[in-house]
């Protein structure tokens, strides 16, 4: 039996034993199609396929599969198996949406209302592409492949600007690590007030990521602090969930909604290739 005291080697360590300094060293970058995206689409949080795709970049694992390795060990030179080419990462660029308030802010109304709709759409399509999807096979996550894919896309841009809108940008800012500039959406007043309330009792909106731990800390507060925070939470909840939420008074349910709202604040990213 294997020694249970021996730690299981990490994915990085296993690749180093194969002579690769990084797992990405065994991958091949190539141009792809939406069929390649379909191979990993189930692992992306958006269910719809990207529209108006203009470019697809793919990381694929081309190492010999089990059959090829067996033939090689047996010395069989007659078999000719195709390269496996398993897709492990995909990036999709698309035509941009015609309107985006964060884009207008980042580019100082370059495509703003001073242009007629037709010329504005033409200028947008000529000058800007949107990274609409980046998805990595779950077995290959945690290795920085998303950052590498974005860097590859930015290394050879097809337009003056590249943009991206990330729902999880505050939690996983890989677009920023790839060299894009982040433009977080300014917080709404009621969001800022609740964030300040959390800060007053020693918490941070980022603490909501581990909800169970945060809930335990809230329950451990002195009674006046806890009741005050619950009143601020209820006020925030009513502002965000609408009139139908007036009768929802369970603080843990309200805090769960707050986690979804405050952690999924979209972040707009832009790369200006003129610079």
């Amino acid at each position: 039996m294997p020694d249970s005291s021996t730690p299981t080697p990490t994915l990085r360590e296993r690749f180093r034993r194969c002579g690769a300094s990084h797992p990405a060293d065994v991958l091949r970058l190539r141009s792809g199609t939406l069929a390649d995206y379909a191979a990993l689409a189930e692992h992306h949080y958006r269910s719809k396929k990207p529209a108006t795709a203009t470019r697809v970049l793919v990381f694929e694992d081309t190492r010999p599969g089990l059959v090829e390795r067996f033939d090689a060990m047996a010395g069989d030179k007659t078999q000719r198996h195709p390269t496996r080419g398993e897709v492990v990462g995909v990036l999709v660029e698309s035509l941009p949406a015609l309107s985006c308030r964060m884009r207008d802010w980042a580019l100082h109304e370059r495509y703003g209302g001073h242009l007629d709709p037709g010329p504005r759409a033409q200028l947008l399509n000529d000058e800007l592409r949107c990274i609409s999807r980046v998805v990595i096979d779950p077995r290959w996550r945690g290795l920085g492949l998303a950052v590498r894919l974005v860097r590859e896309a930015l290394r050879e841009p097809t337009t003056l600007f590249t943009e991206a809108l990330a729902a999880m940008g505050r939690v996983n800012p890989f677009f920023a690590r790839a060299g894009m500039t982040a433009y977080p959406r300014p917080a709404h007043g009621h969001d800022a007030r609740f964030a300040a309330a959390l800060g007053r009792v020693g918490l941070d909106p980022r603490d909501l990521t581990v909800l169970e731990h945060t809930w335990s800390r809230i329950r451990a507060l002195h009674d006046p602090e806890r009741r005050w925070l619950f009143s601020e939470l209820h006020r925030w909840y009513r502002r965000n969930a609408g009139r139908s939420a007036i009768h929802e008074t369970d603080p843990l349910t309200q805090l769960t909604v707050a986690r979804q709202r405050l952690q999924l604040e979209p972040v707009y990213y832009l790369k200006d290739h003129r610079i």
Side-chain angles (χ1 to χ4, degrees), residues 49-71:
K49 72 176 183 179
T52 62
T54 59
R55 183 168 64 152
V56 178
L57 296 180
V58 175
F59 266 148
E60 64 178 6
D61 180 4
T62 59
R63 291 173 300 160
L66 179 60
V67 175
E68 293 91 331
R69 293 200 301 270
F70 178 81
D71 289 340

Side-chain angles (χ1 to χ4, degrees), residues 2-230:
D3 184 359
S4 59
S5 65
T6 303
T8 302
T10 65
L11 187 57
R12 290 177 185 269
E13 290 170 344
R14 293 200 296 270
F15 275 100
R16 277 197 291 268
R17 292 175 185 178
C18 296
S21 60
H22 188 278
D25 294 341
V26 305
L27 302 180
R28 178 172 65 187
L29 178 73
R30 64 169 173 82
S31 296
T33 67
L34 284 180
D36 295 303
Y37 172 73
L40 296 179
E42 64 178 306
H43 303 301
H44 198 274
Y45 65 90
R46 293 182 183 175
S47 57
K48 295 182 179 179
K49 72 176 183 179
T52 62
T54 59
R55 183 168 64 152
V56 178
L57 296 180
V58 175
F59 266 148
E60 64 178 6
D61 180 4
T62 59
R63 291 173 300 160
L66 179 60
V67 175
E68 293 91 331
R69 293 200 301 270
F70 178 81
D71 289 340
M73 289 191 307
D76 187 349
K77 306 298 184 180
T78 64
Q79 300 295 326
R80 291 293 181 267
H81 300 287
T83 302
R84 181 173 54 166
E86 181 182 7
V87 175
V88 301
V90 177
L91 178 148
V92 181
E93 281 187 355
S94 301
L95 293 177
L98 293 181
S99 62
C100 176
R101 296 177 65 181
M102 295 301 296
R103 179 200 300 146
D104 292 339
W105 177 41
L107 288 173
H108 310 290
E109 299 286 340
R110 183 182 181 92
Y111 309 107
H114 60 284
L115 296 172
D116 291 333
R120 181 172 72 241
Q122 184 63 54
L123 186 62
L124 258 175
N125 290 339
D126 289 344
E127 292 190 350
L128 191 142
R129 288 293 177 270
C130 175
I131 298 178
S132 55
R133 298 287 191 280
V134 180
V135 56
I136 305 298
D137 187 311
R139 296 170 296 174
W140 288 76
R141 289 178 182 172
L143 301 171
L145 297 186
V147 173
R148 290 194 173 211
L149 265 178
V150 175
R151 284 176 179 165
E152 292 293 343
L154 300 179
R155 184 173 293 119
E156 296 185 5
T158 59
T159 51
L160 292 179
F161 307 101
T162 302
E163 70 176 4
L165 188 64
M168 298 290 288
R170 296 177 186 269
V171 178
N172 185 16
F174 68 88
F175 284 109
R177 292 198 293 270
M180 302 182 76
T181 301
Y183 295 85
R185 189 176 73 181
H188 292 294
H190 46 277
D191 291 344
R193 173 168 172 162
F194 182 59
L198 289 171
R200 183 172 172 179
V201 298
L203 295 169
D204 185 277
R206 289 172 294 186
D207 294 330
L208 297 177
T209 303
V210 187
L211 189 61
E212 295 79 6
H213 178 63
T214 303
W215 179 246
S216 297
R217 291 177 62 184
I218 292 174
R219 298 294 297 174
L221 294 172
H222 294 300
D223 188 59
E225 277 189 317
R226 186 173 62 252
R227 284 189 283 109
W228 172 79
L229 183 62
F230 282 168

Side-chain angles (χ1 to χ4, degrees), residues 236-273:
W236 176 91
Y237 183 80
R238 291 182 60 177
R239 290 292 301 273
N240 280 274
R243 294 183 180 276
S244 63
I246 291 177
H247 301 294
E248 177 55 73
T249 58
D250 176 46
L252 182 56
T253 299
Q254 295 174 349
L255 199 66
T256 301
V257 176
R259 176 182 64 176
Q260 295 170 346
R261 164 77 183 192
L262 299 180
Q263 292 296 317
L264 294 180
E265 280 287 332
V267 178
Y268 179 82
Y269 292 93
L270 182 74
K271 179 65 175 180
D272 186 342
H273 299 291

